[in-house]
Amino acid sequence: MVENNFYQINEIRKYANANKIPIMQNEGIDFLTTFIIKHQIKNVLEIGTAIGYSAIMMALCSPNLKITTIERDEQRYLEAVKNIKKFNLEKRITLIFNDALNVKIDEKFDLVFIDAAKAQNIRFFELFERNLLDNGYIITDNMYFHGLVHKNIKEISSRSLRGIVRKINDYIVFLKNNDKYTTTIYDIGDGIAVSEKKWEVF
Ligand code: SAM
């Protein structure tokens, strides 16, 4: 990463930290960018832009990569627009300001990256798998949900957190039982699921 990019990325991280905006952990972003390079990913659909950090990091790791990313929070979306401009990545990162559950895209991608409302993962997966190319991947972040997924649910005092943890557990079962994909959950960052679409045999 060139020095100025490094400075700007650090500024985005500081902004996220100061404003309590959840962005990917370092380990997670390293995994994602390495995955993109290793699998020669050409285009990504990201659900959950926040302020554009992961989209920018993905774009910087691979010079021809194109990304379409969706965010429903206006303030975060506007911040993402600014950040993407700072990196001159407007031609490679397309931002959509909307609730992803209301978005219909015709384009096909070789990677769908789900990093939005954790309780909605199954809905995002079912909605956007139609945008996946035959040999594509769906990656989902926060499978451990800050370690809470490994806790006894009765020990989690917040009702809403218990609800999210239950939904993530439902998502894990959904992925394991989904015979169209092979899913591996990696013990990296906050837990990353990689679902690889199986080749269809006719
Ligand atoms: N991928 C980002 C990164 O690492 O830089 C972080 C994304 S943050 C964990 C999740 C974002 O998803 C939030 O900004 C939230 O507003 C957005 N979000 C949640 N549900 C959404 C939905 N249904 N449609 C669009 N955006 C959504």
Side-chain angles (χ1 to χ4, degrees), residues 140-196:
T140 313
D141 193 25
N142 304 108
M143 297 303 293
Y144 297 164
F145 201 57
H146 318 292
L148 291 178
V149 166
H150 294 128
K151 258 192 154 182
N152 182 337
I153 200 120
K154 288 180 198 146
E155 285 172 20
I156 302 170
S157 52
S158 151
R159 194 165 166 241
S160 66
L161 283 182
R162 279 200 303 275
I164 297 174
V165 168
R166 276 199 192 95
K167 295 273 191 179
I168 294 176
N169 280 320
D170 291 347
Y171 185 54
I172 292 170
V173 173
F174 164 85
L175 292 176
K176 296 274 174 206
N177 292 338
N178 193 329
D179 57 12
K180 286 193 284 172
Y181 297 82
T182 307
T183 295
T184 308
I185 298 177
Y186 291 93
D187 190 13
I188 285 170
D190 194 24
I192 295 184
V194 177
S195 307
E196 181 176 3

Side-chain angles (χ1 to χ4, degrees), residues 47-183:
I47 321 300
T49 318
I51 56 174
Y53 170 70
S54 50
I56 291 168
M57 289 299 280
M58 288 190 273
L60 293 180
C61 85
S62 175
N64 296 317
L65 183 72
K66 293 219 165 152
I67 300 149
T68 298
T69 179
I70 311 173
E71 175 57 53
R72 69 175 172 189
D73 179 287
E74 188 170 17
Q75 213 181 331
R76 291 180 183 181
Y77 160 78
L78 292 172
E79 197 59 34
V81 171
K82 271 200 270 171
N83 287 331
I84 287 159
K85 226 179 223 161
K86 279 185 201 155
F87 284 84
N88 289 319
L89 287 170
E90 302 100 308
K91 289 208 176 103
R92 292 207 285 131
I93 303 179
T94 304
L95 277 152
I96 299 176
F97 170 46
N98 203 342
D99 188 316
L101 296 171
N102 298 327
V103 172
K104 207 175 166 298
I105 297 175
D106 294 327
E107 196 182 339
K108 297 257 184 190
F109 299 84
D110 40 17
L111 173 62
V112 174
F113 174 47
I114 301 177
D115 190 19
K118 307 302 159 188
Q120 306 285 346
N121 279 344
I122 295 181
R123 293 181 72 193
F124 294 135
F125 192 107
E126 288 182 331
L127 187 60
F128 293 108
E129 67 172 326
R130 70 180 68 132
N131 294 97
L132 203 59
L133 286 164
D134 277 348
N135 51 349
Y137 301 88
I138 298 183
I139 293 188
T140 313
D141 193 25
N142 304 108
M143 297 303 293
Y144 297 164
F145 201 57
H146 318 292
L148 291 178
V149 166
H150 294 128
K151 258 192 154 182
N152 182 337
I153 200 120
K154 288 180 198 146
E155 285 172 20
I156 302 170
S157 52
S158 151
R159 194 165 166 241
S160 66
L161 283 182
R162 279 200 303 275
I164 297 174
V165 168
R166 276 199 192 95
K167 295 273 191 179
I168 294 176
N169 280 320
D170 291 347
Y171 185 54
I172 292 170
V173 173
F174 164 85
L175 292 176
K176 296 274 174 206
N177 292 338
N178 193 329
D179 57 12
K180 286 193 284 172
Y181 297 82
T182 307
T183 295

